[in-house]
Amino acid sequence: MKSKFYSVSIKFLIIQLLSVLCVSQSFDFFYFVQQWPGSYCDTSQSCCYPTSGKPAPDFSIHGLWPNNNDGSYPSNCDPNDPFDKSKISDLTGSMEKSWPSLACPSSNGLSFWSHEWDKHGTCSESVLNQHGYFQAALNLKNQVNLLQTLKTAGIQPNGESYSLESIKGAVTKGSGYTPWVECNADESGNSQLYQIYLCVDTSAANFTECPVFPKGKCGSQITFPSF
């Protein structure tokens, strides 16, 4: 009887240990990803403005994504810690401004933020709780003003085309770190500036050089559409 009890206890401890290891999954850095709303909307899929109204013409946060040096990434690490809007109630105003959803139908952003936490944020729980995760992303956005950085280099969201290298160079000069630029295609099939990735260390507080870039390719000349 005693042996059976110990056996059950050991199994329980092993399950708990495996659970902790899963939740505390390690990673090497974050991608901090911001998107240009004009490019999100100028596609065949189009977009829908949030219920709070049209966002400001500025880069907005897409996500803060744990990643590994080999290019792989963890996802959906802890189903036992689902998104809870009450944990970020003091951040809602800033989130609506800096992290709006442009997906259709129009929304208040909660489903977007829930997706980002469930898929990516739960994989950073060894460093950040829910509030800390969203606060970290807002802090990072305030550290580098991408739109002003590009404008300072003469790169304006006016529908004109700019060289990919000039965009990378402007962000590198403004942030101190090399970005990765993602493009999408407008309704006419032209390549346009969609998202800019910068890398962040595992504290989620400091930008760093990217050890690896995502896959994908932009044309040598890309459009920067208005919004």
Side-chain angles (χ1 to χ4, degrees), residues 85-115:
K85 66 179 181 180
S86 70
K87 294 182 178 179
I88 60 163
S89 57
D90 62 314
L91 303 178
T92 301
S94 297
M95 299 274 288
E96 289 176 345
K97 178 182 176 182
S98 299
W99 204 329
S101 172
L102 290 166
C104 293
S106 295
S107 74
N108 57 10
L110 289 174
S111 60
F112 182 25
W113 306 334
S114 176
H115 168 79

Side-chain angles (χ1 to χ4, degrees), residues 85-146:
K85 66 179 181 180
S86 70
K87 294 182 178 179
I88 60 163
S89 57
D90 62 314
L91 303 178
T92 301
S94 297
M95 299 274 288
E96 289 176 345
K97 178 182 176 182
S98 299
W99 204 329
S101 172
L102 290 166
C104 293
S106 295
S107 74
N108 57 10
L110 289 174
S111 60
F112 182 25
W113 306 334
S114 176
H115 168 79
E116 291 301 310
W117 169 254
D118 292 343
K119 182 175 181 179
H120 302 288
T122 57
C123 299
S124 65
E125 287 179 330
S126 58
V127 181
L128 303 167
N129 59 22
Q130 279 192 48
H131 187 278
Y133 174 76
F134 291 104
Q135 182 68 72
L138 292 169
N139 292 345
L140 290 166
K141 187 180 189 309
N142 290 332
Q143 285 188 44
V144 178
N145 187 325
L146 287 180

Side-chain angles (χ1 to χ4, degrees), residues 28-44:
D28 297 315
F29 67 97
F30 289 96
Y31 281 131
F32 179 57
V33 188
Q34 297 186 68
Q35 63 185 10
W36 178 246
S39 299
Y40 185 104
C41 292
D42 188 14
T43 64
S44 57

